[in-house]
Amino acid sequence: MIILGYIFIGIGAFFYFLGGLGILRMPDVYNRLQAGTKATTLGSFSVILGVGFVNMDYLPKALLIIAFIALTNPVGSSVLARAAYLIGIKPTAKTKVDECKGGDEI
Amino acid sequence: MRRFLSALIVLGLIMFFISTLPLIPEFGKASLSKVSRAFIDKDVNGNGGNIQYGVSKDLENGAANVVTSIVVDYRSFDTLGEVTVLFTSALGVGIILSGYKRKKFGREPNFILRVSVGILLPLILLFGAYVFIHGHLTPGGGFPGGTIIAAGILLLYLSNEEFDLSKTVKFVEGISGSLYVIVGLLGLAVSGVFLINFLPTGVVGNLFSSGIVPIIYILIGFKVGAELSGIVAELHREG
């Protein structure tokens, strides 16, 4: 179980690294937000779950923390992305589809 | 010229601090006051035997959280000053931003945000209340608990354009602040010392223990929550 926990922590660290790389390399704010959010969500899930496996006493608390991250993190990112879109930050030129264009439904 | 002046000021400050260094006594050779001597001589395990969590009763303070017992009991008067500092800063923010009208975006806030605030807000408020009610048992207390509650109020402000809490905030703030002073005055009336812990301290680790510490921390929680919510409201109005 402890080895499984360490494997989970390693996966989480890898996703954190990918998130940092994505924030550095992605072309515009939306892609960066997506990279950062995915990294924090999946990376934090893995690391916290790994800590829960390494020390089984923490497992219920770890699951609770995961639930709260699942509730808050995507909402925060979606609100940030919406605010960025509303003040008129343009997506990068490679973006082909913009479903929000012209509509008020965001 | 300006750079030269600022360098001169910094140099003067450094000289001042270096010149005051010899006034600090050597390690272990300080001349202690009566109070410091009394607390240093006190055994860590208590004057009469070991202190056990959930067993020992009627201790001098009775709070399981050491930080809380110092902040709200031994130097409670200082904490009253801290709360006043926070009140003054909230007042300053209010005065600076008083001219602005609240900006309306004229657009329904995000659907995802509104729905998730409905789920999250009760949890956040509950957690904040837990943190300051259990301030004498677990890490935390009135200041962090109040901050968590203010974060929940910020969510309400973000998700609802019409939401306004300024009158309630002022009411709660005034009531809790004056109740703090009234608890202190009750100590003065009962034992002759302002803010003394005059209630029975109970068993270490119980929710109802350590006298006036939880009462004061609940009051501080309400006061800090109200003040920070007020600051959030003012900053939101500035938009």
Side-chain angles (χ1 to χ4, degrees):
Chain A
M1 219 55 182
I2 288 175
I3 294 170
L4 193 67
Y6 281 126
I7 290 172
F8 266 108
I9 293 176
I11 293 173
F14 178 66
F15 273 101
Y16 276 135
F17 168 73
L18 285 188
L21 196 69
I23 288 173
L24 209 63
R25 294 287 301 156
M26 286 291 185
D28 64 350
V29 63
Y30 307 103
N31 281 318
R32 283 180 182 164
L33 207 55
Q34 178 252 21
T37 311
K38 254 176 203 165
T40 35
T41 313
L42 202 56
S44 309
F45 280 12
S46 301
V47 169
I48 293 166
L49 200 65
V51 170
F53 281 145
V54 169
N55 191 342
M56 290 303 270
D57 294 348
Y58 293 156
L59 194 57
K61 279 182 193 173
L63 291 177
L64 209 61
I65 293 171
I66 285 176
F68 282 123
I69 291 177
L71 276 174
T72 51
N73 197 359
V75 177
S77 305
S78 98
V79 170
L80 277 178
R82 178 177 181 269
Y85 193 85
L86 284 181
I87 63 171
I89 294 176
K90 291 271 180 291
T92 177
K94 282 181 188 166
T95 306
K96 292 278 196 292
V97 183
D98 186 356
E99 290 191 349
C100 295
K101 200 166 206 169
D104 295 324
E105 299 292 314
I106 53 169
Chain B
M1 190 61 201
R2 234 165 132 184
R3 267 188 198 172
F4 178 70
L5 264 181
S6 51
L8 210 66
I9 290 170
V10 170
L11 208 68
L13 279 176
I14 289 174
M15 290 297 282
F16 172 73
F17 284 127
I18 288 177
S19 68
T20 51
L21 275 182
L23 295 179
I24 299 171
E26 267 183 65
F27 178 74
K29 288 185 181 168
S31 61
L32 295 169
S33 66
K34 212 168 86 184
V35 179
S36 330
R37 180 57 65 195
F39 277 103
I40 285 172
D41 287 345
K42 207 171 211 166
D43 196 3
V44 179
N45 295 323
N47 288 339
N50 283 327
I51 292 176
Q52 271 184 308
Y53 187 84
V55 177
S56 307
K57 40 168 111 172
D58 297 330
L59 302 166
E60 184 182 71
N61 184 276
N65 182 356
V66 179
V67 177
T68 309
S69 70
I70 289 167
V71 167
V72 190
D73 194 357
Y74 294 127
R75 40 147 271 196
S76 196
F77 194 61
D78 197 51
T79 307
L80 189 61
E82 265 173 40
V83 173
T84 316
V85 167
L86 196 64
F87 169 73
T88 318
S89 56
L91 199 70
V93 171
I95 290 171
I96 289 172
L97 299 177
S98 62
Y100 291 92
K101 266 232 164 80
R102 187 169 172 187
K103 194 174 167 187
K104 290 266 197 295
F105 293 100
R107 178 189 279 276
E108 188 88 326
N110 197 349
F111 175 75
I112 301 170
L113 183 68
R114 271 181 293 147
V115 171
S116 61
V117 164
I119 301 168
L120 279 175
L121 184 74
L123 292 172
I124 291 176
L125 293 186
L126 185 71
F127 181 60
Y130 168 80
V131 167
F132 67 68
I133 288 173
H134 287 246
H136 58 302
L137 303 176
T138 53
F143 290 94
T147 313
I148 292 167
I149 285 182
I153 302 292
L154 171 64
L155 271 184
L156 268 182
Y157 268 98
L158 286 179
S159 68
N160 189 351
E161 292 250 282
E162 306 297 326
F163 183 75
D164 195 17
L165 204 67
S166 44
K167 281 201 178 124
T168 327
V169 159
K170 275 168 198 147
F171 180 72
V172 172
E173 193 179 338
I175 291 288
S176 51
S178 46
L179 275 177
Y180 191 169
V181 178
I182 285 170
V183 170
L185 288 176
L186 277 178
L188 190 64
V190 172
S191 308
V193 181
F194 187 62
L195 277 170
I196 198 171
N197 198 345
F198 60 88
L199 290 174
T201 51
V203 180
V204 180
N206 280 11
L207 183 57
F208 293 101
S209 67
S210 68
I212 63 167
V213 171
I215 299 172
I216 286 184
Y217 246 170
I218 289 169
L219 293 177
I220 290 177
F222 273 108
K223 191 165 165 59
V224 171
E227 272 161 3
L228 292 181
S229 307
I231 291 179
V232 161
E234 300 282 355
L235 291 176
H236 192 72
R237 195 167 65 183
E238 192 240 6

